[in-house]
Amino acid sequence: MKRPGTKKKKCIALPDPWTWCAEDELMNSMWVSKHLWANIKKGRHGLFRSPLVCHPELQHRFLHCTCCRTSRIASADIDLLNPSQPCLDSKDAKPLDACYTPEQRAAILQVLNTASESELSSVKMLRGRKSSNIIEYRTRNGPFKDLHSVMNVPLIKHKTTEVVFNSILNPADRSERRKPKVQAVKFIKPQIERKRLEEASSVVSLVFGTNKIAWAHLERGRSVLEWQQEECDRFLRGAYQASVYLEDISPVVAKIPEADFFILEKPGISLQNTNLFPIMLHLRTVEAMLYSLLGARFQQDGQQRVLSMARTAVGKHFELMVGECRTSGAELVRQLLSDSVTQKHPRVAFPKSMVVRYRNMFRLGVRNHREEMCDALLQALAFYELLEGD
């Protein structure tokens, strides 16, 4: 009797004459499993079985000695090693104790057994963890009895001990360590120690153009002591002869007052502009002449007193830069002159006679602003202000 809800099993028709039903599919899977298991038992290659091949014999591996780094020891013979004996396979086949005299060994052991951790850190190759490891080893095992026992300290190897022992025997070698860098100022060339610059009581700032040389003598308290310029009419006329430059610049240098440092403006003309090459050559020649003449006149104890300051550094300090070009500082100088009279604590202090003399020179509408004088004063002021704020 047919149960309710059951359906008659239907066969699936295929394009070929073969037909099967669910029972045929089950028998098919059982036949495949039986066939695979028979192949696996016979040792044949098939699914879920890798080929049975013999592995080649393992090659001997070697351990490199940490003492000499040249000798090799087969890993199979590692149990035959005696850790208490040093490796003597290298060319320098000597134990550590045999490399030093009894007096030298006593001096080395004296330092290693009595020095504190900070004292050991000052020895070459014993900085950091190595010095603390020596202290821990001494505390746990007692003082070192021979030099070879130092190699029992963690992180200390044969090559390290050689450097350490030689450093203990020759403490003068410590002076060969890298000297600390001089704390220099970035905007001044060549590099001068900051302490010397801060101790300067006054500076003379020099700026030169196509036919003028101007200077400003400024003391540390921002008081202007002298501020003027000299005309050099033969500049950029005719051939570039060194004798002409020397004849024009020498009288100017003779008028420059004594100061601790002389700061020359470094021209900011780009060498890529070939049209300005004659101007650049002229400025470089004047700069070289001033370096030579000022250095010869005011030389003291062989120390550098003539320095250079980039024109762009002064422009950036006073916000006078437009792109890569620097604008005029005449308006700023006019404001400094006015503040010197009206304010109690001005940025720069001018003598009254100097204010009366130069106030009309930098007023609006005047063509000749004397740019070299403006730049000389601003460069001296920027030197002190950048030195304080750097």
Side-chain angles (χ1 to χ4, degrees), residues 64-71 83-100 124-126 130 147-166:
H64 289 271
C65 179
T66 59
C67 300
C68 58
R69 300 286 180 184
T70 56
S71 61
S84 63
Q85 296 296 329
C87 176
L88 301 178
D89 290 339
S90 59
K91 295 180 180 180
D92 302 329
K94 282 186 178 181
L96 284 174
D97 293 271
C99 297
Y100 302 93
K124 194 173 183 180
M125 297 294 290
L126 287 186
K130 293 178 182 178
L147 300 183
H148 182 68
S149 61
V150 180
M151 292 181 58
N152 297 329
V153 178
L155 302 180
I156 296 183
K157 305 299 181 183
H158 187 275
K159 293 295 183 182
T160 306
T161 57
E162 293 180 354
V163 178
V164 170
F165 297 163
N166 292 334

Side-chain angles (χ1 to χ4, degrees), residues 284-295:
R284 294 290 187 182
T285 304
V286 176
E287 182 184 16
M289 287 282 184
L290 289 174
Y291 254 102
S292 177
L293 295 175
L294 289 171

Side-chain angles (χ1 to χ4, degrees), residues 141-259:
N141 302 307
F144 297 102
K145 297 181 180 179
D146 52 26
L147 300 183
H148 182 68
S149 61
V150 180
M151 292 181 58
N152 297 329
V153 178
L155 302 180
I156 296 183
K157 305 299 181 183
H158 187 275
K159 293 295 183 182
T160 306
T161 57
E162 293 180 354
V163 178
V164 170
F165 297 163
N166 292 334
S167 178
I168 293 174
L169 294 175
N170 303 295
D173 294 343
R174 301 177 194 174
S175 61
E176 298 177 1
R177 294 179 180 178
R178 184 179 299 177
K179 297 180 180 179
K181 293 183 179 180
V182 177
Q183 189 179 9
V185 181
K186 297 179 181 179
F187 60 89
I188 288 294
K189 300 293 180 182
Q191 291 186 351
I192 300 294
E193 190 176 0
R194 172 182 288 273
K195 185 178 179 180
R196 282 190 59 200
L197 296 176
E198 292 176 347
E199 293 176 351
S201 59
S202 66
V203 297
V204 172
S205 170
L206 294 99
V207 175
F208 41 88
T210 55
N211 60 349
K212 299 174 185 176
I213 298 178
W215 66 88
H217 189 194
L218 193 68
E219 67 173 0
R220 189 189 305 175
R222 313 294 195 277
S223 296
V224 180
L225 303 178
E226 188 174 341
W227 187 29
Q228 60 177 319
Q229 69 179 14
E230 288 289 330
E231 301 282 343
C232 300
D233 297 330
R234 291 192 294 177
F235 278 0
L236 289 177
R237 292 187 180 182
Y240 289 91
Q241 297 182 2
S243 59
V244 176
Y245 282 97
L246 185 61
E247 292 174 1
D248 288 346
I249 296 175
S250 295
V252 177
V253 173
K255 298 179 181 180
I256 295 176
E258 172 73 23

Side-chain angles (χ1 to χ4, degrees), residues 8-105:
K8 185 178 180 180
K9 190 179 297 184
K10 296 181 180 180
C11 295
I12 303 173
L14 296 177
D16 51 47
W18 292 90
T19 59
W20 67 61
C21 56
E23 289 85 352
D24 297 329
E25 187 176 352
L26 179 60
M27 293 179 64
N28 245 350
S29 60
M30 292 176 61
W31 181 86
V32 171
S33 301
K34 183 178 180 181
H35 181 70
L36 289 176
W37 179 247
N39 285 340
I40 291 173
K41 289 197 296 184
K42 293 179 181 179
R44 297 176 184 175
H45 306 326
L47 294 174
F48 314 109
R49 185 173 178 84
S50 59
L52 299 176
V53 293
C54 297
H55 294 282
E57 294 185 1
L58 296 176
Q59 296 181 356
H60 288 290
R61 295 187 178 182
F62 296 92
L63 301 176
H64 289 271
C65 179
T66 59
C67 300
C68 58
R69 300 286 180 184
T70 56
S71 61
R72 300 194 307 170
I73 304 169
S75 58
D77 300 333
I78 191 171
D79 294 335
L80 303 178
L81 292 177
N82 186 1
S84 63
Q85 296 296 329
C87 176
L88 301 178
D89 290 339
S90 59
K91 295 180 180 180
D92 302 329
K94 282 186 178 181
L96 284 174
D97 293 271
C99 297
Y100 302 93
T101 64
E103 294 78 9
Q104 291 175 336
R105 292 198 297 268

